[in-house]
Amino acid sequence: MWIFGWKGPSGFSASSTAEEVTQGIDGSALTAIVTGASSGIGVETTRVLALRGVHIVMAVRNVDAGRNVKESILKEIPSAKIDVMELDLSSMASVRKFASQYQSSNLPLNLLINNAGVMATPFMLSQDKIELQFATNHLGHFLLTDLLLETMKRTARESNIEGRIVNVSSEGHRIAYSEGIRFDKINDESGYYTWYAYGQSKLANILHAKELARPSLSLKCFFLLWHNQEEGVEITANSLHPGAIISTNLMRHHGLINTVGQMLGKYFLKNIPQGAATTCYVALNPQVKGVSGEYFLDSNIGNPSAKAKDADLAKKLWDFSCTLTNPK
């Protein structure tokens, strides 16, 4: 972490804000989907991208909350281009419905920001009977990305503008289960530990981006990998740690930790404008052009865990995710 304002090679640090890392960038030719855009750093990501001219589609579970955020941003930025669409990442049916509606809208897609997430929840199963953190944080985004790849590929080809997939992970990926991903025990309640399960889902976010960035034409779940420069198609995929941020509701399942954090966090943790900085940097900054398969923190390239660099684990996770998301 580039603590106390110490700048990394990018010229930015942990104290840099989303506005600062996108200063002077014109995003008016871009369209982005931001999941989880109605709370926490998702709101700030939406606001700052809209400030830079990006057309934002807020993909949110609570549409009313999303509309309230949209109205608030429009009061500040009357020219903002924002749409709100319903998306529940814990439901594959909802993900499929969202992707179908998006494709029917004929909107382009330059940026896919997989931001939404839950943290350290009690053991629960999703609507599809998959452990909730893995289902929401990884599997929903995996399916969403897969379903929208052709839209991104077409947009990149027609616009000649690089597409970017951004997975919001966490340094929490370092505290995953010892095996990394518990493929055979993904729904094992007896061995469930909230923080290990959270770490597992965040490790999956990094491995997903790593596998997406692999420059080959190997068969994916539904489409061939799009990285084909001869077709004029260029799409990158990266992951990131936004930072430890105090002013979000991610810790709502841990009252004591949340209370103590609220009291002391202002001295040690990031605020929301700082927390959204790395997402906005990876999504918009020209320094990231052509960079793929990397893990960022504090708006600089970081060094994830050994398991996050494991190509075999990434491939196994991809195959496992394809199996879970393919219709029976």
Side-chain angles (χ1 to χ4, degrees):
M1 181 178 186
W2 307 100
I3 59 173
F4 307 125
W6 297 344
K7 295 180 179 179
S10 70
F12 301 112
S13 71
S15 63
S16 298
T17 66
E19 287 197 26
E20 289 170 348
V21 302
T22 59
Q23 185 65 42
I25 296 173
D26 179 7
S28 59
L30 306 176
T31 301
I33 291 173
V34 181
T35 69
S38 61
S39 64
I41 63 172
V43 174
E44 181 68 357
T45 299
T46 298
R47 186 189 72 83
V48 172
L49 294 185
L51 181 66
R52 303 304 178 216
V54 179
H55 179 182
I56 306 293
V57 175
M58 300 175 63
V60 297
R61 187 175 56 181
N62 186 327
V63 173
D64 288 338
R67 288 171 179 157
N68 289 338
V69 170
K70 174 183 175 179
E71 292 306 313
S72 176
I73 293 174
L74 285 172
K75 288 179 181 177
E76 177 192 348
I77 313 167
S79 62
K81 296 171 288 185
I82 302 175
D83 294 311
V84 180
M85 293 178 62
E86 183 176 6
L87 172 64
D88 180 355
L89 286 156
S90 69
S91 163
M92 284 189 263
S94 177
V95 174
R96 293 182 189 282
K97 180 180 179 182
F98 174 90
S100 177
Q101 290 176 337
Y102 193 89
Q103 289 162 344
S104 296
S105 74
N106 292 317
L107 284 171
L109 182 58
N110 305 94
L111 309 173
L112 177 56
I113 301 177
N114 293 321
N115 164 79
V118 294
M119 176 187 280
T121 63
F123 181 83
M124 290 182 273
L125 295 180
S126 70
Q127 295 181 33
D128 303 293
K129 308 303 180 185
I130 299 168
E131 188 275 310
L132 186 65
Q133 294 192 81
F134 187 80
T136 304
N137 295 352
H138 166 63
L139 206 59
H141 284 127
F142 177 90
L143 178 59
L144 179 68
T145 303
D146 226 27
L147 293 173
L148 293 175
L149 286 184
E150 279 296 291
T151 302
M152 293 197 75
K153 177 179 177 179
R154 183 175 63 252
T155 301
R157 184 191 303 113
E158 292 176 354
S159 67
N160 199 30
I161 298 173
E162 174 185 89
R164 297 185 184 183
I165 298 168
V166 182
N167 284 357
V168 178
S169 179
S170 168
E171 279 289 273
H173 80 276
R174 300 182 190 276
I175 57 168
Y177 296 104
S178 60
E179 60 267 51
I181 308 294
R182 306 180 85 198
F183 296 105
D184 298 326
K185 300 179 180 178
I186 205 71
N187 289 339
D188 180 15
E189 184 174 2
S190 64
Y192 180 81
Y193 181 64
T194 57
W195 288 105
Y196 291 164
Y198 175 70
Q200 172 181 248
S201 70
K202 295 288 100 180
L203 173 62
N205 292 152
I206 301 174
L207 293 171
H208 178 213
K210 290 278 188 183
E211 187 68 5
L212 281 167
R214 193 157 58 89
S216 71
L217 288 178
S218 60
L219 189 65
K220 298 302 182 180
C221 287
F222 305 112
F223 304 113
L224 290 175
L225 189 60
W226 59 91
H227 187 102
N228 190 332
Q229 293 180 351
E230 290 182 2
E231 291 186 13
V233 174
E234 180 74 31
I235 298 177
T236 63
N238 292 289
S239 59
L240 64 94
H241 170 57
I245 305 155
I246 194 55
S247 301
T248 71
N249 65 351
L250 279 175
M251 292 295 297
R252 59 188 177 275
H253 296 288
H254 299 270
L256 178 60
I257 297 175
N258 192 45
T259 299
V260 174
Q262 293 287 346
M263 293 171 57
L264 302 178
K266 63 182 179 180
Y267 300 108
F268 304 105
L269 306 180
K270 290 185 178 183
N271 57 36
I272 286 179
Q274 293 168 335
T278 305
T279 302
C280 292
Y281 173 79
V282 176
L284 278 191
N285 198 286
Q287 292 180 357
V288 189
K289 181 175 174 57
V291 177
S292 198
E294 296 289 352
Y295 173 72
F296 289 79
L297 69 163
D298 300 331
S299 301
N300 285 271
I301 292 177
N303 186 28
S305 69
K307 281 191 170 58
K309 303 173 187 176
D310 187 332
D312 291 336
L313 186 61
K315 180 62 168 61
K316 187 175 181 180
L317 174 65
W318 187 282
D319 293 341
F320 182 65
S321 303
C322 286
T323 299
L324 291 177
T325 54
N326 270 321
K328 299 296 186 289

